[in-house]
Amino acid sequence: MALPTNALLAETQKRIVPPRPTPPAAPAPRAAVPPLAPGALPGLGHAAALLRDPLGFLGSLARHGGVVRIRLGPRTVCVVTDARLVHALLVALAHDCPRGAVQDTLKTAFGDGLLMSEGQAHRDRRRIIQPAFGPDRMAGYLSVMHQVTEDRAGRWRPGQVLDVAKEMNHLALEIVTRSLFGARLTADATLAFHRALPDLVKGQIVQSLYPHPALARLPLPVNRRFDAAVRVLNRVVDQAVNGRPGQARSIESGGTLPALLRAATDPATGRPLTEADVRSEAITMFGAGTETVSTTLTWLLDELLRHPEVEARVLAELDEHLPAGTTPTPEALARLTYTRAVTQEVVRLHAPNAFLMRTARVPVDLGPYRIPAGTELLYSLTALHRDPLRYDEPLSFRPERWQDDGGLGRHSFLPFGAGKHKCIGEAFAWAELTVAAAAILRRWRPVAVPGARAREVVWTTVQAHGLRVRLAARTDGVAAAAVRDMPEGAATGKVPAPTRTDRPRPAGCPFTGAAADPGTPGALPGTPAAVPLPRRSAELRAAADRHADWAVRHGLLTPTELPGYRAYALHELIGHAFPRARGTELDLLVDMLGWFTVLDDRFDGPPGRRPAEAHALVDPLISALHGDARPEPPGDRLVTAWQELWDRQSRSASPAWRARAAREWHACLATFPAEAEHRARGTVPALGLGLAETMRLRRHGSCLYPFMNILERAHGADAPAALHAEPALHRLRANTADAATLINDLYSLEREERQSAAAFNTVLTLQRVRGCTRSRAVRAVRTRVTTLRRENEQLCRELGRRHPAGRWYLDGTRELVAGVQAWTSTSDRYLVPGGRG
């Protein structure tokens, strides 16, 4: 997740960085020739690799440069792998780099419509069509989307096994037909459309790879199927555009898309658009508005099956802002912030456009590269959205990245393109995804059919094939999700009360359930006043003794290492940060912190600089989270101890909690090899890695997210689903992790500065990146911690008013930061030779 560093960066620039003279302008470097990708085969070039594993091959090219040449038979194509350069290609160079071979195939088949046209013709056509997607139309479209989805979902039956991709294709086609064309296709036409679409897509990609356009006219099987698909699509579109009298329906706020087109005048000729023009635009809307949206809906349902906690939060948000039985409005959709984050993450992770092309009609400079006239330029939105340099854990499904400023902006997230050719129906598509998903999830709970999950099939788009689900009726939105997440038998009362996940949540102590003291005054988050209970020295010392025995028994420490390790006083940190923890929960917390400390110390040595060794340490730990049967490294007791700890954490926990905890432990552990990769490449702070990137990388490495999850585990119940659906809670959790990380940076500064491996410490990063003095860097970090505490205080007040049943969780996050500060200021953990003490 991205760290909210804007304020810190601004303060750094204004208060810390001394004025510097403007350096003299360096001579402009000569533009470079893009490097040639390795592995070209005689005669075939890279075509075999591209066809065998398109996404893997395209994703691998980024390591060779921002623009990389590949050979497809006799043709040389430049692949643009850097998101910033792709944005420049689509915006700054749009005039000089028109559409390429992939789109030209469709232009030959369907004419010079909006999707295929260029220059003034494209601008004129876009002005004509734009009113169909104006804000005044959206309310009418939402009503149609909702009704179409309700009608289709209403025809499904409990226990029915659904071919999700097929159903979503039919749904998306019907939404487009009724919303934009005011028409209904016959069942035969709908079936013909869906049967023809794969042949159209396959033919498009194959013909775009032909070394000479004349090959598309040969009677090859792929060409014949492509031509037949074109004929079918033309017939289907004719039915929608020229339906039987009385079939077409006027859409609110100004008629159908065909009516809009027929009423328009071609600015170039002054004459009305021809029927060929109308058909061309209709085909564009059918193609663009059907396959990509239906594929995204399929991936959305697949990801919700894999992440039940996300599904529960979506349902909670729907219950709050879009109650059952109401027709969606633009204002209601704007309030569905978490649902929007979920759809954004689906679109990022499963960007439909495997690759698109442009052609340089004149010589152009693209970043440091010189691109000759006539060069074909290829880019993959799917590969760009999975770039690990742009997105933390790029293959992980993490909707929260879009709530905590993890979306890196328009240069990195381009699902609908950019510039003058940006998809005209972007708002329509986002609305369709949200409305359709809401209507389906309210009525049905999809259950995965074993062995029938979605798999990627790549042509010009990344399609989702194979997902089948069994439908179960959802009786009451979130309540049904809660019943589903109970242990077997809980709904009938056959499970002992302590293990139930739906028992009342007390608003007081997060561990014992004792009522909160209404007279306890509030305190700034992260201050000592936030810890209201006295220290329990004898109990904590006993927990420390049990932990020492546990660590030695598991081989994490030797008896001779214990004295130095015990000087860290980790039990004191737990005592400060979790003042109400008792018994087995206290032991679990101390063991977790001790285990993580031992792991962290391993990376002060060679694994911190050697990515292969880092992965060898961490990968088995991550595998254990997900139940993978990967053998543990010989003689490494960390894995055995971790398996026991993970079992203790997740035992009796709800599926939603377990999934969230596994994801956030995964993110935490993955920071170790990520930092090792940066050290090995030399992209450490001040040498290629900036402040914002450093903080983003480290957000989960502090281990605070897993310990915030333990608040719920120790409490015996999850925090209310509605609280988890709050964007403000995500901000509060992010602030909590950030504040603890920055506090740690202040007290570990001297120790980390003396390490042989480059330290990821914010104070040191400010000194190296911004050139400020030690005292000013320290002051900036302290100021940032204070700002985070004050923001959290306000967030706690607001969230507490809206979700009083979750006050215990909010109090717990406040105490956690306070405990970190109290411990780091007194522990021997960060002593260095010759230092204090």
Side-chain angles (χ1 to χ4, degrees), residues 783-801:
T783 299
R784 180 60 179 162
V785 171
T786 301
T787 301
L788 291 170
R789 287 176 176 170
R790 289 172 177 166
E791 184 177 342
N792 269 16
E793 180 185 21
Q794 179 62 31
L795 291 170
C796 282
R797 285 198 295 265
E798 295 172 359
L799 290 168
R801 284 195 298 268

Side-chain angles (χ1 to χ4, degrees), residues 8 20 71 106 131 198 230 232 263 325 382 394 628 635 638 705 734 754 764 813 827:
L8 179 58
R20 297 181 181 179
R71 292 203 172 105
L106 293 182
V230 170
V232 169
T382 314
D628 296 344
L638 271 170
Y705 275 96
R754 299 191 184 191
L764 297 177
T813 61
S827 173

Side-chain angles (χ1 to χ4, degrees), residues 7 45 55 96 129 138 163 187 193 204 214-215 285 295 341 358 490-491 515 547 564 573 591 596 649 705:
L55 297 183
D96 294 330
I129 297 174
M138 191 53 67
D163 182 330
F193 179 88
Q204 180 189 13
L215 291 175
M285 297 306 158
T295 298
R358 293 289 186 269
H547 169 66
L573 171 54
D591 288 348
F596 185 79
Q649 292 175 65
Y705 275 96

Side-chain angles (χ1 to χ4, degrees), residues 14-215:
K14 290 187 294 184
R15 304 181 186 181
I16 299 176
V17 182
R20 297 181 181 179
T22 303
R30 187 173 181 179
V33 176
L36 179 67
L41 299 176
L44 293 175
H46 300 90
L50 179 62
L51 292 173
R52 181 173 58 249
D53 181 14
L55 297 183
F57 175 69
L58 293 173
S60 72
L61 297 178
R63 70 178 70 124
H64 303 296
V67 180
V68 181
R69 287 179 296 138
I70 64 172
R71 292 203 172 105
L72 303 177
R75 296 160 57 190
T76 296
V77 175
C78 285
V79 181
V80 188
T81 68
D82 187 298
R84 292 167 299 179
L85 298 185
V86 170
H87 189 271
L89 175 67
L90 300 181
V91 180
L93 300 177
H95 177 72
D96 294 330
C97 298
R99 300 179 190 274
V102 174
Q103 289 92 333
D104 286 346
T105 303
L106 293 182
K107 182 176 179 180
T108 302
F110 298 121
D112 199 12
L114 183 66
L115 185 63
M116 282 72 75
S117 59
E118 292 288 346
Q120 188 62 44
H122 177 269
R123 289 192 291 272
D124 291 342
R125 194 61 57 86
R126 192 176 181 96
R127 290 193 192 101
I128 293 172
I129 297 174
Q130 188 65 59
F133 295 96
D136 58 318
R137 296 280 187 115
M138 191 53 67
Y141 290 154
L142 294 179
S143 177
V144 175
M145 293 172 185
H146 176 70
Q147 189 59 53
V148 169
T149 311
E150 287 285 345
D151 290 347
R152 188 156 200 94
R155 296 196 290 270
W156 302 339
R157 292 293 176 261
Q160 177 182 348
V161 174
L162 213 64
D163 182 330
V164 178
K166 178 180 177 181
E167 284 295 320
M168 295 306 103
N169 267 316
H170 284 277
L171 174 63
L173 178 61
E174 190 172 357
I175 287 175
V176 167
T177 305
R178 289 178 57 180
S179 297
L180 297 180
F181 296 88
R184 294 176 186 266
L185 295 177
T186 64
D188 289 343
T190 299
L191 186 60
F193 179 88
H194 291 301
R195 286 178 174 172
L197 207 55
D199 289 332
L200 182 80
V201 173
K202 293 175 185 177
Q204 180 189 13
I205 181 62
V206 171
Q207 291 187 13
S208 69
L209 296 176
Y210 283 156
H212 194 280
L215 291 175

Side-chain angles (χ1 to χ4, degrees), residues 11 42 136 209 606 625 646 703:
E11 290 172 6
D136 58 318
L209 296 176
L625 289 170
W646 176 239
C703 199

Side-chain angles (χ1 to χ4, degrees), residues 418-458:
K420 66 180 185 179
H421 286 293
K422 188 175 184 181
C423 177
I424 198 171
E426 178 180 5
F428 184 97
W430 285 122
E432 184 179 355
L433 290 172
T434 304
V435 172
I440 291 170
L441 293 174
R442 281 196 176 285
R443 186 183 289 262
W444 297 105
R445 177 169 62 86
V447 179
V449 174
R453 303 307 292 265
R455 66 183 188 278
E456 289 184 340
V457 176
V458 184

Side-chain angles (χ1 to χ4, degrees), residues 620-774:
L621 305 173
I622 293 175
S623 297
L625 289 170
H626 306 295
D628 296 344
R630 177 179 297 187
E632 63 188 72
D636 192 339
R637 301 303 180 92
L638 271 170
V639 179
T640 303
W642 172 240
Q643 288 170 333
E644 189 220 58
L645 276 176
W646 176 239
D647 179 68
R648 285 162 62 188
Q649 292 175 65
S650 57
R651 189 184 303 149
S652 302
S654 71
W657 185 94
R658 185 183 178 100
R660 181 169 63 251
R663 185 180 67 248
E664 290 174 353
W665 266 119
H666 186 145
C668 174
L669 296 171
T671 60
F672 289 108
E675 289 185 358
E677 292 274 3
H678 279 293
R679 292 188 184 105
R681 293 200 305 261
T683 54
V684 293
L687 294 174
L689 193 67
L691 176 63
E693 291 83 1
T694 303
M695 298 299 288
R696 188 179 304 117
L697 175 67
R698 300 183 58 229
R699 166 167 283 182
H700 282 275
S702 65
C703 199
L704 263 290
Y705 275 96
F707 274 92
M708 282 187 278
N709 289 331
I710 292 294
L711 287 170
E712 298 173 279
R713 168 65 179 82
H715 184 57
D718 295 359
L723 175 61
H724 270 301
E726 286 271 10
L729 182 69
H730 291 275
R731 173 61 59 199
L732 183 144
R733 280 164 56 90
N735 288 354
T736 300
D738 296 344
T741 299
L742 294 172
I743 290 169
N744 182 280
D745 286 350
L746 290 170
Y747 289 97
S748 65
L749 177 59
E750 187 177 358
R751 178 175 182 261
E752 292 185 338
E753 193 172 30
R754 299 191 184 191
Q755 292 176 0
S756 58
F760 287 77
N761 182 295
T762 310
V763 176
L764 297 177
T765 302
L766 283 171
Q767 290 181 257
R768 294 165 180 164
V769 174
R770 298 298 177 188
C772 57
T773 64
R774 168 66 60 85

